[in-house]
Amino acid sequence: MSFSFIFLGSGTSQGVPIIGRDYSPEFLANPKNHRTRSSIHVATGQIKLNVDTTPDFRTQMLRENIRWLDAVIFTHAHADHIMGLDDCRRYCDLRGGPLPVYADKETMAALRRVFLYAFHDGPWPKGYFAPEPHEIDGPFTLGDLDITPLPLPHGRMTTNGYLFVQNGVKRLAYLNDCKEIPEQALGQVAGVEVAVLDALRHSPHPTHMSLDEALTAARRIGAGRTYFTHLTHDYDHDLSQAELPPGVELAFDGMKVEYPTAPGS
């Protein structure tokens, strides 16, 4: 009953470093301070999927040598989460057919608009992106994972976090791009093994959790392990990590989180 995930990207919408800003040589020398846009790749013995396809998707997938995808799940339709979708064309080639794409009604409508040339009834020429759209409005199952969308406030829009449950075990709560974790979502993720939380920067932000807000959410969730993602250059990784409480870590690009196999599985 294997379960693992990789932080394909851990950065904010502009990435780190951002264009047109000077950084100290010491900051740039640490590879953990180089952050592409935030996304994860989840893998079990039965399913391989991505949550979001960032503008850095191709680079991320090549870096991690990920050669197969069974599905893509979207949190919302902001550019930093969807603009790599066309690069899934290679996975359509490898699969020999369309790639399942999961999103709520609003996000799917945006995907259909942005990638109008791909979302049609087919046929698709070889080498082109061929999506198989699945509109979600509640829990769904992929392989050995039961996946529950968790509506989260993100400014004037709502994003979806996701709870991944494997064989009745709450493996992962991915709660990115949100200003807070609502009470209903807190109840659903209680007892989760790992939580991933938006922790944009030190100072408050209107649509993302700040460091203090993320730490509060982490305490309320009480996961076995907590990782912060969607990080700006506020965080100098090693220095900032040293200030965090036990059980809370800053994510970095390429970080892999593996779960022990349960006895007898």
Side-chain angles (χ1 to χ4, degrees), residues 93-176:
D93 281 351
L94 293 169
R95 293 171 55 83
L99 177 68
V101 174
Y102 291 78
D104 64 20
K105 181 178 180 179
E106 292 77 14
T107 302
M108 189 67 76
L111 294 174
R112 289 181 180 277
R113 183 179 67 253
V114 174
F115 301 99
L116 177 65
Y117 60 88
F119 282 83
H120 55 74
D121 294 331
W124 295 269
K126 181 174 174 55
Y128 282 67
F129 173 50
E132 178 187 289
H134 296 265
E135 191 173 296
I136 58 175
D137 58 5
F140 58 103
T141 299
L142 290 174
D144 56 347
L145 295 178
D146 297 316
I147 304 169
T148 301
L150 304 169
L152 305 171
H154 185 43
R156 289 179 289 182
M157 71 182 302
T158 299
T159 68
N160 273 330
Y162 290 100
L163 174 64
F164 296 87
V165 177
Q166 183 187 43
N167 196 29
V169 178
K170 296 179 182 180
R171 294 294 198 188
L172 170 65
Y174 187 68
L175 308 172
N176 197 17

Side-chain angles (χ1 to χ4, degrees), residues 2-19:
S2 65
F3 185 102
S4 65
F5 69 95
I6 300 170
F7 286 96
L8 298 174
S10 58
T12 185
S13 57
Q14 295 189 71
V16 180
I18 63 172
I19 295 169

Side-chain angles (χ1 to χ4, degrees), residues 2-260:
S2 65
F3 185 102
S4 65
F5 69 95
I6 300 170
F7 286 96
L8 298 174
S10 58
T12 185
S13 57
Q14 295 189 71
V16 180
I18 63 172
I19 295 169
R21 180 186 174 99
D22 295 325
Y23 295 87
S24 71
E26 293 79 11
F27 183 94
L28 295 176
N30 188 343
K32 294 178 181 178
N33 287 333
H34 293 256
R35 304 178 179 113
T36 58
R37 273 61 72 94
S38 60
S39 171
I40 59 171
H41 175 76
V42 176
T44 76
Q46 297 186 25
I47 193 79
K48 297 181 186 298
L49 62 89
N50 270 28
V51 180
D52 294 334
T53 57
T54 79
D56 306 300
F57 174 85
R58 176 179 170 275
T59 300
Q60 293 168 340
M61 302 303 270
L62 285 170
R63 186 193 70 216
E64 301 303 326
N65 195 28
I66 296 170
R67 299 181 173 222
W68 185 266
L69 271 184
D70 292 298
V72 173
I73 303 171
F74 283 98
T75 58
H76 64 303
H78 280 167
D80 54 319
H81 294 265
I82 71 169
M83 293 309 292
L85 182 57
D86 184 75
D87 283 328
C88 287
R89 61 173 63 189
R90 177 58 182 153
Y91 293 103
C92 295
D93 281 351
L94 293 169
R95 293 171 55 83
L99 177 68
V101 174
Y102 291 78
D104 64 20
K105 181 178 180 179
E106 292 77 14
T107 302
M108 189 67 76
L111 294 174
R112 289 181 180 277
R113 183 179 67 253
V114 174
F115 301 99
L116 177 65
Y117 60 88
F119 282 83
H120 55 74
D121 294 331
W124 295 269
K126 181 174 174 55
Y128 282 67
F129 173 50
E132 178 187 289
H134 296 265
E135 191 173 296
I136 58 175
D137 58 5
F140 58 103
T141 299
L142 290 174
D144 56 347
L145 295 178
D146 297 316
I147 304 169
T148 301
L150 304 169
L152 305 171
H154 185 43
R156 289 179 289 182
M157 71 182 302
T158 299
T159 68
N160 273 330
Y162 290 100
L163 174 64
F164 296 87
V165 177
Q166 183 187 43
N167 196 29
V169 178
K170 296 179 182 180
R171 294 294 198 188
L172 170 65
Y174 187 68
L175 308 172
N176 197 17
D177 277 61
C178 60
K179 178 59 179 172
E180 64 177 342
I181 312 300
E183 290 295 330
Q184 183 174 353
L186 284 170
Q188 289 174 284
V189 304
V192 71
E193 292 184 335
V194 174
V196 175
L197 303 179
D198 180 349
L200 184 75
R201 64 189 191 190
H202 294 127
S203 60
H205 187 277
T207 65
H208 292 268
M209 288 193 291
S210 66
L211 175 61
D212 285 346
E213 290 166 334
L215 285 169
T216 297
R219 287 193 296 270
R220 297 190 70 190
I221 292 169
R225 289 178 284 173
T226 300
Y227 298 91
F228 290 165
T229 192
H230 211 289
L231 309 174
T232 69
H233 52 225
D234 268 21
Y235 300 94
D236 189 332
H237 186 279
D238 293 351
L239 298 177
S240 298
Q241 179 61 57
E243 298 175 347
L244 293 179
V248 178
E249 295 184 47
L250 296 178
F252 57 85
D253 287 25
M255 183 184 207
K256 186 171 185 179
V257 180
E258 297 185 88
Y259 294 63

